[in-house]
């Protein structure tokens, strides 16, 4: 393998990982998942998952990547020769390809909304009309396909031209702008007539609503939003320098990512209640609600344009990181040329992305477990594969890896004083794997059987 580059600055490390983490997961998926699962209780469990599972598993990925400076497959071969944990890299490739497929469909919707914003046709409609605009987009197979392909084409070009670093740099400049925009929008939402209803929905948890579906949804959302469990952050960490403080970086990434998601909620829910939308609307929620907000703001044209441009960049920095998992694996492990690997990744995403785009129209009747293809891809990758990957990563670092190496990584060879070292190792070793396993058992319904034995 050739000399691998390193991130030059502390900012570079955090910015690239935040670029991967912050995206449609925060702004599109978080509000709709929270809305479908009753709001406050979901959000509380989500935050608990970020703290108890998210941060420890980010640290686990960082430790593996940075201690070896290799991709997931070689890293595990180096740390534990002959171990079956190499399967982690297959989980990564399968999950990242599935996510890239449905994510590109949603990013395609963003691209079309950006286009509509430019032409001014997203202005001046009633809530009913906004809902129709979205239905006519997803209901039309050609429109959905074309925008998905355009997005995948942009992703391909960025990867092919080797300008992903450049895009990441631009997007690092733009991300603070996105953050500022979200703050402006949330202030605006807080002034809407039914803002308190929205805030109550988000922040007054009703724990009687807790269900297996909600808990696994919150865990899946935490993994999805943090780009976790599929060796994406492991791959990024393989480029970290030996000075990068792993615990601090992991905490900052989790904190920033969660702030963006909560801000998105503060924007969406007051508007949901004020404009008469349904919080349980699912994937279409944000697309139906947001245009109403821009519409009633002074200078709405400008706000919607700025928002969709920034969200587009946030989506691209996330899809680049998904594709990189695939490309790094095939170039470094199978000697494939970068060009071929990028083509392969894009062609697979075009095939599966098409199926996902068509599941809102011509393939709408194809359902498995009551889910269309798009929902199935989303559910299997986010709620099953990523937590399963996280489970294995935590077990690997907690139980298989040499403890000395783990400590050296956490403390940067003894140069850092990590106060929470013991609790962190405890979480990686026991809490994270046990919680993930228990949540899976809860979903399978095992607890019901055990309860039945005692009653
Ligand atoms: N975390 C990204 C988001 O929130 C999605 C993502 C998932 C990116 C998995 C990379 C890997 O949009």
């Amino acid at each position: 393998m050739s000399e691998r580059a390193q991130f030059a600055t502390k900012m570079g490390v955090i910015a690239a990982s935040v670029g991967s983490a912050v995206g449609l997961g925060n702004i599109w998926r978080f509000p709709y998942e929270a809305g479908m699962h009753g709001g406050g209780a979901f959000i509380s469990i989500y935050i608990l998952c970020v703290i108890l599972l998210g941060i420890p598993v980010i640290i686990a990925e960082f430790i593996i990547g940075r201690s070896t400076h290799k991709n997931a497959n070689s890293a595990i071969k180096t740390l534990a020769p002959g171990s079956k944990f190499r399967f982690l890299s297959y989980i990564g490739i399968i999950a990242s390809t599935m996510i890239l497929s449905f994510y590109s469909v949603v990013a395609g919707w963003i691209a079309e909304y950006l286009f509509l914003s430019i032409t001014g046709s997203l202005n001046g409609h009633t809530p009913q009309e906004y809902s129709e605009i979205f239905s006519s987009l997803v209901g039309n197979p050609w429109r959905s396909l074309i925008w998905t392909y355009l997005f995948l084409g942009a992703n391909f070009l960025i990867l092919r031209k080797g300008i992903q670093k450049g895009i990441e740099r631009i997007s690092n400049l733009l991300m603070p702008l996105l953050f500022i925009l979200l703050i402006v929008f949330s202030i605006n939402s807080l002034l809407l007539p039914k803002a308190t209803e929205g805030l109550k929905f988000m922040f007054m948890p009703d724990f009687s609503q807790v269900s297996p579906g909600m808990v696994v949804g919150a865990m899946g959302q935490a993994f999805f939003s943090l780009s976790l469990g599929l060796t994406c952050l492991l791959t990024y960490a393989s480029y970290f320098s030996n000075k990068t403080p792993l615990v601090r970086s992991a905490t900052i990434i989790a904190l920033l990512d969660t702030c963006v998601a909560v801000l998105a909620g503060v924007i969406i829910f007051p508007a949901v209640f004020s404009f008469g939308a349904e919080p349980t609307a699912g994937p279409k929620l944000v697309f139906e609600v947001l245009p109403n907000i821009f519409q009633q703001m002074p200078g709405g044209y400008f706000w919607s344009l700025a928002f969709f441009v920034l969200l587009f960049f946030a989506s691209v920095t996330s899809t680049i990181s998904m594709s990189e998992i695939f490309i790094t694996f095939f170039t470094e492990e199978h000697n494939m040329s970068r060009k071929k690997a990028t083509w392969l990744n894009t062609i697979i995403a075009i095939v599966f992305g098409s199926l996902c785009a068509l599941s809102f129209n011509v393939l709408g009747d194809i359902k498995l477990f009551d889910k269309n293809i798009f929902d199935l891809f989303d559910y299997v990758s986010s709620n099953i594969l990523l937590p399963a990957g996280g489970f294995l990563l935590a077990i690997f670092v907690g139980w298989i890896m040499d403890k000395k190496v783990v400590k050296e990584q956490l403390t940067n060879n003894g140069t850092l004083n990590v106060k929470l070292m013991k609790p962190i190792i405890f979480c990686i070793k026991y809490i994270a794997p046990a919680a993930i396993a228990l949540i899976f058992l809860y979903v399978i319904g095992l607890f019901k059987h055990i309860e039945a034995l005692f009653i």
Side-chain angles (χ1 to χ4, degrees):
M1 203 188 310
S2 59
E3 259 307 276
R4 300 178 109 227
Q6 291 194 344
F7 284 106
T9 59
K10 237 189 255 168
M11 243 340 259
V13 172
I14 296 178
S17 314
V18 172
S20 167
V22 173
L24 296 173
N26 312 61
I27 289 166
W28 159 74
R29 201 175 185 280
F30 175 80
Y32 101 64
E33 281 283 325
M36 283 207 314
H37 292 113
F42 175 94
I43 294 176
S44 318
I45 298 174
Y46 171 77
I47 291 178
L48 213 62
C49 286
V50 170
I51 297 171
L52 292 180
L53 313 178
I55 297 178
V57 179
I58 303 180
I59 295 174
E61 289 209 22
F62 279 1
I63 290 176
I64 302 175
R66 211 257 310 255
S67 63
T68 54
H69 294 293
K70 288 182 174 152
N71 70 56
N73 202 41
S74 317
I76 289 175
K77 271 198 239 158
T78 311
L79 293 168
S83 124
K84 290 269 184 306
F85 280 83
R86 268 182 307 122
F87 282 118
L88 269 169
S89 48
Y90 300 120
I91 293 189
I93 289 163
I94 297 170
S96 64
T97 311
M98 287 178 90
I99 296 175
L100 180 62
S101 306
F102 73 82
Y103 203 93
S104 303
V105 175
V106 185
W109 299 342
I110 298 289
E112 173 148 22
Y113 269 57
L114 171 58
F115 177 73
L116 294 178
S117 300
I118 295 172
T119 59
S121 33
L122 212 56
N123 264 352
H125 298 284
T126 61
Q128 176 62 25
E129 284 167 345
Y130 283 124
S131 159
E132 282 158 14
I133 289 177
F134 184 72
S135 312
S136 73
L137 160 62
V138 296
N140 180 327
W142 288 113
R143 261 171 81 183
S144 303
L145 286 177
I146 286 170
W147 286 104
T148 306
Y149 299 159
L150 283 177
F151 181 81
L152 280 169
N155 189 57
F156 173 83
L157 281 181
I158 292 168
L159 291 162
R160 265 309 292 137
K161 299 252 172 240
I163 51 169
Q164 60 271 47
K165 288 266 134 43
I167 295 291
E168 261 159 23
R169 218 165 295 138
I170 298 174
S171 120
N172 294 340
L173 292 175
L174 294 179
M175 283 311 104
L177 279 185
L178 177 64
F179 205 73
I180 295 171
L181 216 62
L182 292 178
I183 292 177
V184 173
F185 293 163
S186 52
I187 296 172
N188 177 71
S189 278
L190 291 175
L191 300 173
L192 289 172
K194 295 206 174 149
T196 17
E197 241 175 89
L199 291 182
K200 268 194 199 148
F201 180 77
M202 274 187 82
F203 296 115
M204 298 214 348
D206 170 8
F207 287 109
S208 67
Q209 295 207 5
V210 174
S211 66
M214 169 200 281
V215 178
V216 78
M219 171 171 75
Q221 175 61 25
F223 276 89
F224 184 88
S225 191
L226 296 169
S227 309
L228 205 51
L230 74 179
T231 71
C232 177
L233 295 180
L234 187 161
T235 310
Y236 274 16
S238 68
Y239 297 101
F240 287 3
S241 88
N242 291 335
K243 293 212 183 79
T244 307
L246 299 190
V247 175
R248 194 176 337 137
S249 307
T251 315
I252 294 176
I253 293 164
L255 199 70
L256 283 177
D257 190 71
T258 307
C259 284
V260 175
V262 171
L263 270 179
V266 173
I267 296 168
I268 296 292
F269 289 112
V272 163
F273 291 98
S274 305
F275 297 113
E278 282 299 327
T280 51
K284 62 182 180 179
L285 180 72
V286 172
F287 289 90
E288 292 190 347
V289 172
L290 275 170
N292 290 297
I293 306 182
F294 304 139
Q295 147 75 15
Q296 52 80 240
M297 286 173 80
Y301 175 84
F302 162 79
W303 293 114
S304 79
L305 189 63
F307 176 76
F308 287 114
V309 168
L310 295 177
L311 194 51
F312 184 82
F313 272 96
S315 317
V316 176
T317 48
S318 298
T319 51
I320 289 176
S321 74
M322 295 169 206
S323 295
E324 279 296 345
I325 304 173
F326 186 99
I327 295 170
T328 316
F329 179 79
F330 283 101
T331 51
E332 295 189 355
E333 296 299 305
H334 293 279
N335 279 330
M336 199 183 264
S337 70
R338 197 177 159 86
K339 184 172 168 190
K340 247 200 194 146
T342 315
W343 268 110
L344 189 63
N345 180 245
T346 306
I347 291 170
I348 297 176
I350 285 181
V351 173
F352 290 118
S354 303
L355 295 179
C356 292
L358 295 178
S359 57
F360 292 97
N361 37 67
V362 289
L363 301 181
D365 288 334
I366 300 182
K367 292 211 166 142
L368 203 64
F369 305 113
D370 211 24
K371 291 186 175 6
N372 65 24
I373 303 172
F374 177 101
D375 291 335
L376 203 66
F377 267 52
D378 184 349
Y379 191 91
V380 171
S381 52
S382 315
N383 293 1
I384 300 174
L385 293 177
L386 301 190
F391 175 83
L392 294 175
L393 285 158
I395 297 275
F396 186 78
V397 172
W399 298 86
I400 314 274
M401 252 183 97
D402 185 350
K403 285 190 188 53
K404 221 179 84 214
V405 178
V406 172
K407 284 201 177 132
E408 273 167 14
Q409 287 301 317
L410 287 174
T411 59
N412 289 358
N413 288 322
T415 55
L416 283 179
N417 176 16
V418 179
K419 288 197 199 76
L420 293 176
M421 175 103 114
K422 283 223 172 87
I424 289 167
I425 294 184
F426 188 79
C427 272
I428 295 179
K429 201 163 173 176
Y430 300 102
I431 306 274
I436 297 170
L438 285 176
I439 293 174
F440 276 146
L441 293 178
Y442 181 41
V443 174
I444 298 170
L446 204 71
F447 292 151
K448 270 201 213 115
H449 299 303
I450 295 175
E451 233 171 57
L453 284 180
F454 288 98
I455 297 173

